[in-house]
Amino acid sequence: MDLRAGRFDGQMSDDAAKFSSSIEFDKRIFDADIKVNRAHTTMLTEEGIIPKEAGEKILAALDKLEDEGIDALNLDPSFEDIHMALEDYITNLIGPEAGFMHTAKSRNDQVCTDIRLTLKDEIENTISNIKDFITTIVNMAKENLDTLFIAYTHLQHAQPNTFAHHLMAYANELRRDCERFMDTYKRVDMSPLGSAALATTGFPINRERTAQLLGFSEVMDNSIDGVSSRDFIAESVFDYAMLSTTLGKIADEIVIWSSYEFRMVECSNAYSSTSSIMPQKKNPDIAELARGKSTIAYGELMTIMTILKGIPHSYNRDLQEITPHLWSAVDNTNDILQIVHGMLATLTINKQRTAELAGANFATATELADVMVREKNMPFRTAHNIVGRVVSDAIEQNLKATDLDDEFINQAAIEVTGKPVDLGDELVKQALDPALNVKARTVKGGPAPSAVKDAIKNMENFLN
């Protein structure tokens, strides 16, 4: 039976039907479509808009379909979408009374509602997975409060750090990703059902009731906006793109840190491969793929934004092309999230190497300048110039930070200011010790174990 045979005598050509069909992508919203039809039919029955007996038959048929699953539907491309396939199933089961199900409802508001319902579930799942990842990171940080690490700017040695402090940077980035999803969820959690094609309906429907049955927190105020808005999709995909950025950054650092030149971490064999020709190789293939795949959501976002730009209100068929890009961004990013979580959790830290790097290449020079400011009441810029000369002279003489003493510092100070600093050997030694450098940075947000413990406590409060 052609459910829309009234308008045309002929049928759409096979290639046009296939071109316009969204059946393949609509499989994603099958469960939501049953829920929407069930809620709408329940409301129609309660309000006395359709016969109670017909409503009960429709609801029983929907229950049967839910038990049988999507394979019970005829998913031939001749049906434009899942809604038509579902109505065809109900019609074949109970006859013409199935048509009551579509009273005061259009596919326009139905598909919007389906997408919002499904996306709500996806966002809830992603939020849960992000929180699981943060929990893993927090536990790793607790075990590495004193594990020396080196922080970089411009990928050059900057200052001593701890692995715990670096891990908590990831945790805070992921927390913001999580909070973005939590905020976006509020704009997804709005019911367009009852907007019908675009101008609601003359039937006395109860939109609040269907919203309640479907678990939406509110009803959309404007029916044109209800059927035509897809900004909630663009916003959600932006959130997935930002999460991909965080995950791509983590993957990138794993690639760098695991190289021979850095030797700071080793990837688990479960996330590595070897070369087809060089037997000595251990390649961080999974981290590289995660880094590469983290760009996919960007492309999906740009496609969605481009489709949305320049189409008039209200519903246009262009909007059908948006949802495949939404699910692509969702699935791809969730896959990366799972992989990067597992990869980071199974890293082996080369603590001897990271401690070596924390004290190398004059990474403690900033603290030496700070000591001059604290102990000698010297302007920081003057101290900065003296320490710059200290480093320059030491490099020229092929010396390391551990080779420097009070006399060497005084020589540089005389070159710069004409007089010595006289810090004393013990103070110089303490200033250039990476472990003491880290412990001195107790300011909120700093790498000192005490400060990181506070940060961990704050993160656990968020998780709870």
Side-chain angles (χ1 to χ4, degrees), residues 230-231 233-235 238 298-310 322:
R230 295 295 187 277
D231 56 304
I233 292 181
E235 184 178 359
F238 172 80
Y298 305 167
E300 304 296 17
L301 177 60
M302 289 303 101
T303 300
I304 290 168
M305 295 293 287
T306 305
I307 293 173
L308 285 175
K309 185 187 182 304
I322 288 177

Side-chain angles (χ1 to χ4, degrees), residues 206-247:
N206 186 339
R207 295 188 64 199
E208 285 73 19
R209 176 58 173 152
T210 51
Q212 178 191 43
L213 289 168
L214 292 170
F216 285 107
S217 62
E218 61 181 290
V219 172
M220 296 186 73
D221 280 340
N222 184 279
S223 57
I224 293 177
D225 183 44
V227 299
S228 64
S229 63
R230 295 295 187 277
D231 56 304
F232 71 95
I233 292 181
E235 184 178 359
S236 298
V237 174
F238 172 80
D239 294 347
Y240 280 101
M242 279 305 303
L243 174 57
S244 293
T245 299
T246 303
L247 299 171

Side-chain angles (χ1 to χ4, degrees), residues 1-6 79 83-89 91 98-99:
M1 174 184 176
D2 186 347
L3 297 176
R4 296 193 301 168
F79 290 112
H83 323 299
M84 300 296 285
L86 186 147
E87 190 171 343
D88 176 70
Y89 171 94
T91 301

Side-chain angles (χ1 to χ4, degrees), residues 6-24:
R7 175 65 175 85
F8 294 147
D9 293 330
Q11 289 188 323
M12 185 180 286
S13 66
D14 290 344
D15 58 344
K18 185 176 180 180
F19 183 75
S20 64
S21 175
S22 63
I23 281 285
E24 187 59 35

Side-chain angles (χ1 to χ4, degrees), residues 13-80:
S13 66
D14 290 344
D15 58 344
K18 185 176 180 180
F19 183 75
S20 64
S21 175
S22 63
I23 281 285
E24 187 59 35
F25 297 111
D26 283 350
K27 291 176 182 178
R28 187 70 167 251
I29 59 174
F30 169 71
D31 290 334
D33 206 53
I34 291 177
K35 291 177 183 177
V36 169
N37 278 295
R38 181 183 287 131
H40 186 70
T41 301
T42 298
M43 179 275 296
L44 291 175
T45 305
E46 290 176 350
E47 299 296 323
I49 296 172
I50 65 172
K52 182 179 179 181
E53 183 180 346
E56 290 174 347
K57 288 181 181 179
I58 292 169
L59 292 173
L62 289 169
D63 290 343
K64 186 173 188 296
L65 175 58
E66 187 173 45
D67 290 340
E68 293 178 356
I70 194 169
D71 291 339
L73 293 183
N74 177 6
L75 298 178
D76 189 280
S78 61
F79 290 112
E80 289 182 15

Side-chain angles (χ1 to χ4, degrees), residues 385-398:
N385 290 337
I386 293 172
V387 174
R389 180 62 61 88
V390 168
V391 172
S392 178
D393 291 348
I395 291 173
E396 192 174 296
Q397 298 175 42
N398 200 28

